Amino acid sequence: MTPEMNTDPALRQYIELYTRNTGTLDAHSAPVLNSLRPRALEVLKEGSLPSRSTEGYEKTPLDEMFAPDYGVNVSRLNLPVDVAASFRCDVPNLSTLSACLANDAFIPSKGLDERLPEGVTFMSLARAAREMPELVGAHYATIAPLDQTPVALNTLLAQDGVFIHVAKGVKAEKTLQLVEILSAPVEMAVFRRVLVVLEDGAELRLLLCDHTQELTRRYLASRIIEVKLGRGARLEMCAIEESSALTSSWSGLYMSQDAGSESRLNTTALTCGTARNDFGVNLDGEYASTCLTGMAIGGGEMHIDNFTSVVHASPRCQSRQMFKYVLDGRSSGAFEGNILVEEGAVFTEAYQTNRNILASPDATMHCKPQLVIYNDDVKASHGATTGQLDNEALFYMRQRGIPEAEARTMLMQAFMVDVIDSVQIPGLNERLRHLVDRRFSGSLGDCKGCAIEN
């Protein structure tokens, strides 16, 4: 099948873009990344992006998200980005080692290389692929499922991104912070790639902050994060989204955990346009554990969709998931969570919770928890609830002189406390609480008009 024969118009435009610019794309990237493009192209020639008729994508069809005619900076032009402003993120005052991903270009903070401890690498993915091709090649595109169309599309067009590596036994004391910025003079699609490798016994804390600088233009962000945790490795990661109402994003995080490894992952959506986040966690080694939490605060026309898949492939592993949404205005949310316990994964403990508040009669929520178990030696549960603010508690607070708007805000803040408390990055817990408070009050960044309505 030729690219022009693909029946998915949203996908076909990107295939045609690649075929016209193959040499340019390869010239501005690295051989390790380029070597996967032909395989990705074969997947795309026969595939299509998930649509409303695709199970799991009924509420957030990717074919519609990718359909507009966005520009792609295949020639790596130097687009105007206010890097100084990007480092003035809403999560300041943390002791971090920081870098910026301006569209898909890695820009380190001043002196970053000198300040990184021995055994910790934090750099451009394309640069890492050229300087250490064996290390990058051993992990790049090995965890994210290349046979899935969104993954293949990102693999086809990604030219750069971020590479993080922590050597065996190294415990990174300072948090690494990556500030991701969308900014361009035209409506643009950006394809980002992040590869994180923690060797046996390594430890890392990672903070991701998403922002949009140009609020009047539409942008599309496609991001894949691949994570490999060695035996006994520990990762704490928090991703905070503060993008614009005109930004659409698809993000896929795929992680493989060896025996005894631990991960704590948090995703927080404060402002956005349309966001779809896919999480795929494979507990491949005995005694591996993961804690996956998320919260979304919707207002205006925001749409936030989180999809999780946790696979228990080995005995004695633990997983916990907790996602909470507060939706106001005409915002909408979706959560689908899958837990798969394979036949040999005895003595598994797996728990999943999704709780939601609809603060407006026009807000909507879709939830679908799923649990598939193939052995009997398991402790597992899942559940979902959707409701409104507690009227009795609201009445009680108003009787004691608290104005209704303030009482509503206090109840919504209290609803998110346990998700916030799950974040254990030093200094971030209180800062995240402050950001959530500002979001509910409507004073966060440029979120005027999308504040929770009181």
Side-chain angles (χ1 to χ4, degrees), residues 257-262 283-290 315-318:
Q257 297 189 218
D258 288 346
S261 61
E262 300 178 25
L283 302 176
D284 295 318
E286 194 172 13
Y287 291 107
S289 66
T290 185
R316 300 175 177 83
C317 293
Q318 297 182 351

Side-chain angles (χ1 to χ4, degrees), residues 334-351:
F335 173 80
E336 293 198 22
N338 295 330
I339 299 174
L340 170 62
V341 183
E342 295 185 350
E343 186 174 355
V346 295
F347 309 120
T348 285
E349 293 187 23
Y351 307 99

